[in-house]
mmCIF file with all atom_site columns, all heavy atoms in Angstrom:
data_model
loop_
_atom_site.group_PDB
_atom_site.id
_atom_site.type_symbol
_atom_site.label_atom_id
_atom_site.label_alt_id
_atom_site.label_comp_id
_atom_site.label_asym_id
_atom_site.label_entity_id
_atom_site.label_seq_id
_atom_site.pdbx_PDB_ins_code
_atom_site.Cartn_x
_atom_site.Cartn_y
_atom_site.Cartn_z
_atom_site.occupancy
_atom_site.B_iso_or_equiv
_atom_site.pdbx_formal_charge
_atom_site.auth_seq_id
_atom_site.auth_comp_id
_atom_site.auth_asym_id
_atom_site.auth_atom_id
_atom_site.pdbx_PDB_model_num
ATOM 1   N N   . VAL A 1 171 ? -16.621 -0.494 14.509 1.00 97.00 ? 419 VAL A N   1
ATOM 2   C CA  . VAL A 1 171 ? -17.323 -1.574 13.821 1.00 97.00 ? 419 VAL A CA  1
ATOM 3   C C   . VAL A 1 171 ? -17.882 -1.044 12.508 1.00 97.00 ? 419 VAL A C   1
ATOM 4   O O   . VAL A 1 171 ? -18.604 -0.051 12.485 1.00 97.00 ? 419 VAL A O   1
ATOM 5   C CB  . VAL A 1 171 ? -18.465 -2.155 14.679 1.00 97.00 ? 419 VAL A CB  1
ATOM 6   C CG1 . VAL A 1 171 ? -19.235 -3.213 13.891 1.00 97.00 ? 419 VAL A CG1 1
ATOM 7   C CG2 . VAL A 1 171 ? -17.912 -2.748 15.967 1.00 97.00 ? 419 VAL A CG2 1
ATOM 8   N N   . LEU A 1 172 ? -17.535 -1.717 11.427 1.00 97.00 ? 420 LEU A N   1
ATOM 9   C CA  . LEU A 1 172 ? -18.058 -1.419 10.093 1.00 97.00 ? 420 LEU A CA  1
ATOM 10  C C   . LEU A 1 172 ? -19.017 -2.532 9.703  1.00 97.00 ? 420 LEU A C   1
ATOM 11  O O   . LEU A 1 172 ? -18.668 -3.713 9.791  1.00 97.00 ? 420 LEU A O   1
ATOM 12  C CB  . LEU A 1 172 ? -16.912 -1.334 9.083  1.00 97.00 ? 420 LEU A CB  1
ATOM 13  C CG  . LEU A 1 172 ? -17.294 -1.137 7.616  1.00 97.00 ? 420 LEU A CG  1
ATOM 14  C CD1 . LEU A 1 172 ? -17.915 0.237  7.404  1.00 97.00 ? 420 LEU A CD1 1
ATOM 15  C CD2 . LEU A 1 172 ? -16.070 -1.323 6.718  1.00 97.00 ? 420 LEU A CD2 1
ATOM 16  N N   . ARG A 1 173 ? -20.220 -2.177 9.289  1.00 97.00 ? 421 ARG A N   1
ATOM 17  C CA  . ARG A 1 173 ? -21.185 -3.156 8.826  1.00 97.00 ? 421 ARG A CA  1
ATOM 18  C C   . ARG A 1 173 ? -21.278 -3.064 7.308  1.00 97.00 ? 421 ARG A C   1
ATOM 19  O O   . ARG A 1 173 ? -21.352 -1.969 6.741  1.00 97.00 ? 421 ARG A O   1
ATOM 20  C CB  . ARG A 1 173 ? -22.562 -2.882 9.448  1.00 97.00 ? 421 ARG A CB  1
ATOM 21  C CG  . ARG A 1 173 ? -23.654 -3.892 9.091  1.00 97.00 ? 421 ARG A CG  1
ATOM 22  C CD  . ARG A 1 173 ? -23.306 -5.309 9.519  1.00 97.00 ? 421 ARG A CD  1
ATOM 23  N NE  . ARG A 1 173 ? -22.918 -5.412 10.887 1.00 97.00 ? 421 ARG A NE  1
ATOM 24  C CZ  . ARG A 1 173 ? -23.759 -5.577 11.913 1.00 97.00 ? 421 ARG A CZ  1
ATOM 25  N NH1 . ARG A 1 173 ? -25.051 -5.651 11.696 1.00 97.00 ? 421 ARG A NH1 1
ATOM 26  N NH2 . ARG A 1 173 ? -23.323 -5.680 13.136 1.00 97.00 ? 421 ARG A NH2 1
ATOM 27  N N   . ALA A 1 209 ? -23.008 -0.762 15.173 1.00 95.00 ? 457 ALA A N   1
ATOM 28  C CA  . ALA A 1 209 ? -22.054 -0.466 14.113 1.00 95.00 ? 457 ALA A CA  1
ATOM 29  C C   . ALA A 1 209 ? -21.810 1.036  14.059 1.00 95.00 ? 457 ALA A C   1
ATOM 30  O O   . ALA A 1 209 ? -22.747 1.839  14.106 1.00 95.00 ? 457 ALA A O   1
ATOM 31  C CB  . ALA A 1 209 ? -22.561 -0.977 12.772 1.00 95.00 ? 457 ALA A CB  1
ATOM 32  N N   . ASP A 1 210 ? -20.548 1.430  13.952 1.00 97.00 ? 458 ASP A N   1
ATOM 33  C CA  . ASP A 1 210 ? -20.222 2.847  13.848 1.00 97.00 ? 458 ASP A CA  1
ATOM 34  C C   . ASP A 1 210 ? -20.510 3.388  12.460 1.00 97.00 ? 458 ASP A C   1
ATOM 35  O O   . ASP A 1 210 ? -20.759 4.582  12.287 1.00 97.00 ? 458 ASP A O   1
ATOM 36  C CB  . ASP A 1 210 ? -18.742 3.058  14.187 1.00 97.00 ? 458 ASP A CB  1
ATOM 37  C CG  . ASP A 1 210 ? -18.430 2.652  15.613 1.00 97.00 ? 458 ASP A CG  1
ATOM 38  O OD1 . ASP A 1 210 ? -18.879 3.354  16.533 1.00 97.00 ? 458 ASP A OD1 1
ATOM 39  O OD2 . ASP A 1 210 ? -17.760 1.615  15.810 1.00 97.00 ? 458 ASP A OD2 1
ATOM 40  N N   . CYS A 1 211 ? -20.472 2.492  11.476 1.00 97.00 ? 459 CYS A N   1
ATOM 41  C CA  . CYS A 1 211 ? -20.754 2.879  10.094 1.00 97.00 ? 459 CYS A CA  1
ATOM 42  C C   . CYS A 1 211 ? -21.296 1.669  9.358  1.00 97.00 ? 459 CYS A C   1
ATOM 43  O O   . CYS A 1 211 ? -20.851 0.542  9.609  1.00 97.00 ? 459 CYS A O   1
ATOM 44  C CB  . CYS A 1 211 ? -19.477 3.375  9.410  1.00 97.00 ? 459 CYS A CB  1
ATOM 45  S SG  . CYS A 1 211 ? -19.657 3.766  7.653  1.00 97.00 ? 459 CYS A SG  1
ATOM 46  N N   . GLU A 1 212 ? -22.270 1.900  8.504  1.00 97.00 ? 460 GLU A N   1
ATOM 47  C CA  . GLU A 1 212 ? -22.762 0.831  7.639  1.00 97.00 ? 460 GLU A CA  1
ATOM 48  C C   . GLU A 1 212 ? -22.661 1.273  6.192  1.00 97.00 ? 460 GLU A C   1
ATOM 49  O O   . GLU A 1 212 ? -23.071 2.379  5.833  1.00 97.00 ? 460 GLU A O   1
ATOM 50  C CB  . GLU A 1 212 ? -24.211 0.483  7.962  1.00 97.00 ? 460 GLU A CB  1
ATOM 51  C CG  . GLU A 1 212 ? -24.765 -0.610 7.051  1.00 97.00 ? 460 GLU A CG  1
ATOM 52  C CD  . GLU A 1 212 ? -26.136 -1.094 7.458  1.00 97.00 ? 460 GLU A CD  1
ATOM 53  O OE1 . GLU A 1 212 ? -26.235 -1.664 8.568  1.00 97.00 ? 460 GLU A OE1 1
ATOM 54  O OE2 . GLU A 1 212 ? -27.093 -0.904 6.686  1.00 97.00 ? 460 GLU A OE2 1
ATOM 55  N N   . VAL A 1 213 ? -22.097 0.393  5.361  1.00 98.00 ? 461 VAL A N   1
ATOM 56  C CA  . VAL A 1 213 ? -22.085 0.617  3.919  1.00 98.00 ? 461 VAL A CA  1
ATOM 57  C C   . VAL A 1 213 ? -23.046 -0.389 3.311  1.00 98.00 ? 461 VAL A C   1
ATOM 58  O O   . VAL A 1 213 ? -23.092 -1.554 3.714  1.00 98.00 ? 461 VAL A O   1
ATOM 59  C CB  . VAL A 1 213 ? -20.670 0.477  3.321  1.00 98.00 ? 461 VAL A CB  1
ATOM 60  C CG1 . VAL A 1 213 ? -19.768 1.574  3.844  1.00 98.00 ? 461 VAL A CG1 1
ATOM 61  C CG2 . VAL A 1 213 ? -20.064 -0.889 3.612  1.00 98.00 ? 461 VAL A CG2 1
ATOM 62  N N   . VAL A 1 233 ? -23.955 5.025  2.603  1.00 98.00 ? 481 VAL A N   1
ATOM 63  C CA  . VAL A 1 233 ? -23.138 5.108  3.818  1.00 98.00 ? 481 VAL A CA  1
ATOM 64  C C   . VAL A 1 233 ? -23.978 5.760  4.901  1.00 98.00 ? 481 VAL A C   1
ATOM 65  O O   . VAL A 1 233 ? -24.522 6.853  4.715  1.00 98.00 ? 481 VAL A O   1
ATOM 66  C CB  . VAL A 1 233 ? -21.859 5.940  3.594  1.00 98.00 ? 481 VAL A CB  1
ATOM 67  C CG1 . VAL A 1 233 ? -21.062 6.045  4.905  1.00 98.00 ? 481 VAL A CG1 1
ATOM 68  C CG2 . VAL A 1 233 ? -21.005 5.344  2.487  1.00 98.00 ? 481 VAL A CG2 1
ATOM 69  N N   . SER A 1 234 ? -24.095 5.078  6.044  1.00 97.00 ? 482 SER A N   1
ATOM 70  C CA  . SER A 1 234 ? -24.780 5.660  7.193  1.00 97.00 ? 482 SER A CA  1
ATOM 71  C C   . SER A 1 234 ? -23.876 5.552  8.406  1.00 97.00 ? 482 SER A C   1
ATOM 72  O O   . SER A 1 234 ? -23.012 4.677  8.471  1.00 97.00 ? 482 SER A O   1
ATOM 73  C CB  . SER A 1 234 ? -26.121 4.963  7.449  1.00 97.00 ? 482 SER A CB  1
ATOM 74  O OG  . SER A 1 234 ? -25.923 3.576  7.711  1.00 97.00 ? 482 SER A OG  1
ATOM 75  N N   . GLY A 1 235 ? -24.082 6.442  9.382  1.00 96.00 ? 483 GLY A N   1
ATOM 76  C CA  . GLY A 1 235 ? -23.174 6.471  10.520 1.00 96.00 ? 483 GLY A CA  1
ATOM 77  C C   . GLY A 1 235 ? -21.965 7.331  10.206 1.00 96.00 ? 483 GLY A C   1
ATOM 78  O O   . GLY A 1 235 ? -22.055 8.309  9.464  1.00 96.00 ? 483 GLY A O   1
ATOM 79  N N   . ASP A 1 236 ? -20.828 6.952  10.733 1.00 97.00 ? 484 ASP A N   1
ATOM 80  C CA  . ASP A 1 236 ? -19.601 7.739  10.604 1.00 97.00 ? 484 ASP A CA  1
ATOM 81  C C   . ASP A 1 236 ? -18.968 7.504  9.235  1.00 97.00 ? 484 ASP A C   1
ATOM 82  O O   . ASP A 1 236 ? -18.396 6.441  8.994  1.00 97.00 ? 484 ASP A O   1
ATOM 83  C CB  . ASP A 1 236 ? -18.631 7.356  11.712 1.00 97.00 ? 484 ASP A CB  1
ATOM 84  C CG  . ASP A 1 236 ? -17.368 8.212  11.703 1.00 97.00 ? 484 ASP A CG  1
ATOM 85  O OD1 . ASP A 1 236 ? -17.226 9.061  10.805 1.00 97.00 ? 484 ASP A OD1 1
ATOM 86  O OD2 . ASP A 1 236 ? -16.521 8.008  12.586 1.00 97.00 ? 484 ASP A OD2 1
ATOM 87  N N   . PRO A 1 237 ? -19.017 8.464  8.318  1.00 97.00 ? 485 PRO A N   1
ATOM 88  C CA  . PRO A 1 237 ? -18.455 8.247  6.985  1.00 97.00 ? 485 PRO A CA  1
ATOM 89  C C   . PRO A 1 237 ? -16.937 8.107  6.981  1.00 97.00 ? 485 PRO A C   1
ATOM 90  O O   . PRO A 1 237 ? -16.365 7.655  5.998  1.00 97.00 ? 485 PRO A O   1
ATOM 91  C CB  . PRO A 1 237 ? -18.885 9.503  6.218  1.00 97.00 ? 485 PRO A CB  1
ATOM 92  C CG  . PRO A 1 237 ? -19.065 10.547 7.271  1.00 97.00 ? 485 PRO A CG  1
ATOM 93  C CD  . PRO A 1 237 ? -19.579 9.820  8.470  1.00 97.00 ? 485 PRO A CD  1
ATOM 94  N N   . LEU A 1 239 ? -15.222 5.952  8.474  1.00 97.00 ? 487 LEU A N   1
ATOM 95  C CA  . LEU A 1 239 ? -14.838 4.538  8.368  1.00 97.00 ? 487 LEU A CA  1
ATOM 96  C C   . LEU A 1 239 ? -14.899 4.067  6.922  1.00 97.00 ? 487 LEU A C   1
ATOM 97  O O   . LEU A 1 239 ? -14.042 3.300  6.477  1.00 97.00 ? 487 LEU A O   1
ATOM 98  C CB  . LEU A 1 239 ? -15.725 3.664  9.247  1.00 97.00 ? 487 LEU A CB  1
ATOM 99  C CG  . LEU A 1 239 ? -15.446 3.691  10.747 1.00 97.00 ? 487 LEU A CG  1
ATOM 100 C CD1 . LEU A 1 239 ? -16.267 2.637  11.449 1.00 97.00 ? 487 LEU A CD1 1
ATOM 101 C CD2 . LEU A 1 239 ? -13.970 3.509  11.045 1.00 97.00 ? 487 LEU A CD2 1
ATOM 102 N N   . ALA A 1 240 ? -15.922 4.504  6.188  1.00 97.00 ? 488 ALA A N   1
ATOM 103 C CA  . ALA A 1 240 ? -15.985 4.167  4.762  1.00 97.00 ? 488 ALA A CA  1
ATOM 104 C C   . ALA A 1 240 ? -14.802 4.790  4.029  1.00 97.00 ? 488 ALA A C   1
ATOM 105 O O   . ALA A 1 240 ? -14.191 4.147  3.155  1.00 97.00 ? 488 ALA A O   1
ATOM 106 C CB  . ALA A 1 240 ? -17.299 4.656  4.170  1.00 97.00 ? 488 ALA A CB  1
#
Side-chain angles (χ1 to χ4, degrees):
V419 176
L420 175 67
R421 183 59 52 87
D458 298 290
C459 175
E460 179 173 296
V461 294
V481 178
S482 60
D484 184 357
L487 284 188

